[in-house]
Amino acid sequence: MDLKELESGVDPEIHWYYQSKIQPLIAYTRHLLKTVPKLTIVDVGSGSGFFAISLEKLFPGQIGKVYLVDINYTPEEIAATAGTKIEKTLAIPPQIENSLVILMDVLEHIEDDLGMLRSIKKNSQGANHFFITVPAFQSLWSGHDDYLGHYRRYKIPTLRSVLTKAGFNTHAAYYLYGSLFPMVWTVRQISNLRKQEATSNMRPFHPLMNKVLLGITSLDMKLARANKLCGVSCVAQGQV
């Protein structure tokens, strides 16, 4: 999760983008908890921790520990959470067990995405699972990506490929926001032609518009597992 996207006043607790994007993650976590009595959440590149903390709030009795992993945490933040259920840390835990590892829009920020995945695999012991989102389609590249410091955007085959090289077993891969793809593609092509200043596309919306967009994208999320064609984000989930 990129904190730069929140600088314009966006609140993940209400914004349609975050409230829809978390839905497949919740569904996957609920699925895992049917067979795993208790999970540890390892949120790599966690930023504000919105995604992992939301999971803990939804499944407090079944999530035993949450690691928020981000290189931008201060010594004060780390000290304040040391030993607590929701713990902030600068590095991936040395031993990952009975865990769901999540990377929500993280890999695109890392030049060596394969190296990052291999470091997670190296620390993984036993049965661990993953849920990963990344921005989709290089044709959607715009000043938004430049502003956020992205190295790349992905398609399902490229995401599957890097995961396979790292030793991950991908059970499913699909696109999110397929319904928005034509509009986003058009807006970003126009933006690129105009050579507009690099900035984030993320911003607060009027409550009514936010509600409408959440309704549209929530329907999109219900159908996403079948979407192998196009979208704004790409998801992969499976076993580490």
Side-chain angles (χ1 to χ4, degrees):
M1 181 179 183
D2 197 316
L3 290 175
K4 275 190 171 183
E5 291 190 332
L6 309 184
E7 290 176 356
S8 60
V10 168
D11 181 359
E13 298 292 341
I14 59 174
H15 195 278
W16 65 268
Y17 177 78
Y18 291 99
Q19 289 299 306
S20 58
K21 193 162 200 172
I22 198 173
Q23 292 173 23
L25 173 59
I26 291 171
Y28 187 56
T29 304
R30 183 176 284 116
H31 168 74
L32 293 178
L33 288 172
K34 290 178 181 178
T35 56
V36 180
K38 198 159 249 187
L39 270 178
T40 293
I41 304 296
V42 181
D43 186 352
V44 180
S46 50
S48 72
F50 165 72
F51 291 102
I53 292 171
S54 296
L55 291 179
E56 194 280 330
K57 288 178 181 177
L58 283 169
F59 310 105
Q62 293 173 283
I63 292 176
K65 179 76 175 182
V66 176
Y67 289 103
L68 302 179
V69 184
D70 200 296
I71 61 173
N72 293 311
Y73 291 141
T74 65
E76 291 76 19
E77 287 177 299
I78 293 168
T81 60
T84 64
K85 184 178 183 181
I86 301 176
E87 184 171 353
K88 293 182 177 179
T89 177
L90 297 177
I92 297 165
Q95 187 170 311
I96 301 173
E97 290 184 291
N98 301 317
S99 296
L100 171 60
V101 180
I102 63 176
L103 293 93
M104 305 297 290
D105 292 348
V106 174
L107 287 180
E108 68 274 13
H109 294 276
I110 302 168
E111 187 171 7
D112 183 9
D113 53 355
L114 177 57
M116 165 60 80
L117 292 169
R118 282 177 170 163
S119 68
I120 294 170
K121 180 68 176 179
K122 179 182 177 182
N123 293 5
S124 177
Q125 298 183 15
N128 295 297
H129 298 83
F130 70 87
F131 186 95
I132 293 172
T133 65
V134 289
F137 288 92
Q138 200 66 21
S139 61
L140 294 181
W141 188 276
S142 71
H144 176 79
D145 298 277
D146 293 325
Y147 176 77
L148 294 178
H150 293 173
Y151 283 96
R152 69 196 74 80
R153 301 180 72 94
Y154 296 75
K155 291 183 180 179
I156 287 175
T158 53
L159 182 55
R160 275 187 176 274
S161 175
V162 72
L163 287 166
T164 299
K165 289 177 182 176
F168 286 50
N169 183 9
T170 303
H171 296 165
Y174 48 94
Y175 293 113
L176 304 180
Y177 304 113
S179 59
L180 300 182
F181 182 85
M183 179 188 69
V184 173
W185 186 90
T186 301
V187 168
R188 293 194 175 180
Q189 299 312 306
I190 293 172
S191 173
N192 291 340
L193 286 172
R194 291 177 176 176
K195 298 182 179 179
Q196 293 179 342
E197 181 183 357
T199 185
S200 174
N201 296 149
M202 198 64 64
R203 58 185 176 83
F205 281 76
H206 184 279
L208 179 59
M209 180 58 69
N210 192 72
K211 186 176 181 180
V212 170
L213 287 168
L214 179 57
I216 292 171
T217 51
S218 293
L219 178 59
D220 190 297
M221 296 304 137
K222 293 182 186 301
L223 305 173
R225 282 289 297 267
N227 181 10
K228 317 291 185 183
L229 182 62
C230 66
V232 180
S233 293
C234 184
V235 174
Q237 59 194 51
Q239 194 162 359
V240 178

